Amino acid sequence: MPNRVTVDVVEITDGDTLTVEGSTGHTETVRLWGIDAPETSQPYGSDATAVARKVAEGKRVDVELIERDHYGRVIGRVHVEGTTLGRTLTRSGYAWHGRRYPTSFQLKENEQQARREGRGLWSQPDPVPPWRHRSGRPPAPSGKEVLNSLGWMALGAVGMVLLFVLLMMLGA
């Protein structure tokens, strides 16, 4: 597998997956290296796809080939207009830097800055990462929900103690 190839982007499947076509007409599915964008069924998933389309669809790009995944997709960095598509998505707040596979310091920094500035999916109080969404688990409760729940539990415990004391006083 050559290290870097110039291809045309013929389709954006979602925020982190695209189809490219080489000069011979051969197509490949490319999964962006180092990031994980929201699934299309998640909040901001369609926005991530729209950003990827705006930046790369129909354009000639360079794909830096990293490896093939267990689905047979090429894992790579897509270089377009002086940056990578992964950097654009993390910088604009439409992707997490990769947690399961290696990623770059720049992608982590981009995500942290987008979080601080509340860009894209970071405008939500507790965005659900796509890897948790794919696993089918419900999102973890937010800090506020946990505190609220603990407050009601504490109130219930106090009520039980007061009821016990009242019953003791009544001689029950």
Side-chain angles (χ1 to χ4, degrees):
M1 190 181 292
N3 220 13
R4 199 166 169 147
V5 295
T6 301
V7 293
D8 296 312
V9 177
V10 294
E11 180 185 10
I12 303 291
T13 307
D14 59 29
D16 55 23
T17 310
L18 54 141
T19 304
V20 298
E21 182 176 32
S23 59
T24 63
H26 176 74
T27 60
E28 284 280 353
T29 299
V30 177
R31 172 72 164 75
L32 297 179
W33 175 87
I35 71 161
D36 205 352
E39 298 298 325
T40 52
S41 59
Q42 287 185 264
Y44 292 90
S46 59
D47 296 306
T49 303
V51 168
R53 284 187 176 134
K54 181 179 179 186
V55 171
E57 194 166 55
K59 295 188 179 164
R60 181 153 289 197
V61 300
D62 288 328
V63 177
E64 184 181 343
L65 306 164
I66 309 294
E67 64 182 335
R68 281 199 184 270
D69 69 7
H70 56 282
Y71 299 111
R73 300 175 298 188
V74 169
I75 305 296
R77 286 185 191 99
V78 175
H79 297 265
V80 59
E81 299 177 350
T83 189
T84 68
L85 186 51
R87 283 185 188 153
T88 300
L89 287 162
T90 54
R91 190 179 310 121
S92 59
Y94 293 108
W96 280 259
H97 78 272
R99 302 299 201 277
R100 195 168 165 201
Y101 301 104
T103 190
S104 74
F105 177 77
Q106 183 63 55
L107 293 174
K108 287 179 189 178
E109 286 292 309
N110 287 345
E111 178 190 316
Q112 290 169 355
Q113 184 172 356
R115 279 178 184 248
R116 284 190 302 271
E117 296 174 4
R119 281 187 256 147
L121 64 92
W122 304 113
S123 64
Q124 301 173 87
D126 291 307
V128 176
W131 56 90
R132 214 164 68 215
H133 177 79
R134 287 188 295 266
S135 73
R137 292 185 306 193
S142 70
K144 283 182 182 178
E145 291 170 329
V146 169
L147 288 175
N148 191 23
S149 184
L150 289 174
W152 282 109
M153 287 174 29
L155 186 60
V158 168
M160 292 298 287
V161 168
L162 290 174
L163 180 63
F164 178 74
V165 169
L166 181 63
L167 289 173
M168 293 300 288
M169 288 174 57
L170 294 173

